[in-house]
Amino acid sequence: MNKSPNLQVCLSPDLFHLFSDRKSTVVVVDVLRATSSMCLAIENGIDEIIPVSTVEEALEYKNGKDFILAAERNGQMVKGFDFGNSPQQYQNTEELEGRTLVMTTTNGTKMINIAKEDHEVVIGSFLNITALVEWLTEKGKDVIICCSGWKGRFCLEDTLFAGALSAKLMGEGFHSDCDSVLASGRLYNASKKDLFQSLEDSSHRKRLSNLSTNDDVQLCLAHDLTTVIPVLQGNSLVADSKQSIVTK
Ligand code: 3SL
């Protein structure tokens, strides 16, 4: 019998019911840009992030002390909010220190709230990939990597990240009989020389480049800018292990 932890990749939130097993750790992935922004927000001083699914829920926190409110829909900051979903907004600012970020995004925060019902949730991005591999390997639990996609659809950038993370976890002794682990790994291998270029004609890069966010995309594809591991405790994401930044 194989005792090494099992690895699966779920390519869309709409497929999650097929993977949900009430025991695996779920890595929620929204590389462009929610989970990258979350990693940087905690790295740069935010104490906790409350991910909510709707703009209305986020507005309930308005005027609460120490809350920063962030909302994105269709790539754009929602009017009346302090922050949107640009990872650059979460860099080089002292505004974040010790504050609570209440955040809603089109897909990422929804995926978190679907997964949290029955599973331990941790946040993944290229920005914390090496620390995440160490953390998941040390825990030794089964893992489902969940791509947030776009409104229920498959998306390329989350799949590439799933492939990168899968390859590293398989190298650490995880096993898998999941074809989406194979497919995402093969896609990543074919693209890893230039992830930015390989996403050039992807739907979300096109959507974001209409909003002039190429710098965001470059930032989200950088590896290992932080060792922070955001984990969900109750309704808040907090750092499980917070160490100093690897490179800036
Ligand atoms: O869907 C999401 O959660 C966002 O990351 C989308 S965007 O990159 O802010 O457009």
Side-chain angles (χ1 to χ4, degrees), residues 30-38 72-76 84-87 103-110 148-151 157-158 204 207-208 211 213 216 220:
D30 190 335
V31 166
L32 298 179
R33 298 166 292 173
T35 57
S36 302
S37 292
M38 288 168 183
E72 165 277 325
R73 283 296 178 273
N74 299 316
Q76 288 180 291
N85 193 26
S86 167
M103 190 174 198
T104 182
T105 67
T106 309
N107 306 287
T109 57
K110 279 191 194 144
S148 299
W150 185 263
K151 299 184 180 176
E157 65 276 9
D158 291 346
H204 200 44
R207 198 177 292 118
L208 289 176
L211 302 167
T213 50
D216 275 6
C220 293

Side-chain angles (χ1 to χ4, degrees), residues 41-208:
I42 292 183
E43 173 62 38
N44 289 302
I46 284 288
D47 258 6
E48 58 176 311
I49 301 173
I50 304 175
V52 297
S53 298
T54 67
V55 169
E56 292 70 28
E57 283 171 88
L59 284 172
E60 286 172 19
Y61 292 85
K62 206 168 172 98
N63 303 324
K65 83 170 171 48
D66 281 340
F67 290 129
I68 295 178
L69 266 54
E72 165 277 325
R73 283 296 178 273
N74 299 316
Q76 288 180 291
M77 185 164 104
V78 178
K79 213 171 149 205
F81 280 77
D82 311 316
F83 279 64
N85 193 26
S86 167
Q88 295 176 83
Q89 278 194 300
Y90 298 97
Q91 284 188 310
N92 308 322
T93 169
E94 281 161 23
E95 224 181 309
L96 309 182
E97 204 55 53
R99 313 270 303 272
T100 296
L101 179 66
V102 180
M103 190 174 198
T104 182
T105 67
T106 309
N107 306 287
T109 57
K110 279 191 194 144
M111 185 66 244
I112 292 169
N113 286 318
I114 292 169
K116 80 173 186 193
E117 293 302 321
D118 295 321
H119 295 267
E120 175 185 37
V121 170
V122 60
I123 297 302
S125 71
F126 285 110
L127 304 182
N128 70 343
I129 188 167
T130 298
L132 183 60
V133 169
E134 279 171 24
W135 189 87
L136 292 167
T137 304
E138 207 169 287
K139 278 185 95 73
K141 283 178 62 179
D142 293 347
V143 167
I144 308 170
I145 305 170
C146 277
C147 301
S148 299
W150 185 263
K151 299 184 180 176
R153 295 178 183 213
F154 171 96
C155 82
L156 192 54
E157 65 276 9
D158 291 346
T159 306
L160 290 177
F161 175 79
L165 183 58
S166 291
K168 287 178 187 285
L169 291 175
M170 297 296 278
E172 295 294 337
F174 280 69
H175 76 276
S176 181
D177 61 359
C178 171
D179 277 4
S180 31
V181 169
L182 283 180
S184 60
R186 288 175 189 175
L187 217 45
Y188 174 71
N189 271 335
S191 312
K192 65 185 176 190
K193 271 200 185 126
D194 191 342
L195 291 174
F196 186 75
Q197 176 64 32
S198 73
L199 290 173
E200 192 175 22
D201 50 0
S202 69
S203 57
H204 200 44
R205 252 207 74 189
K206 281 191 212 151
R207 198 177 292 118
L208 289 176

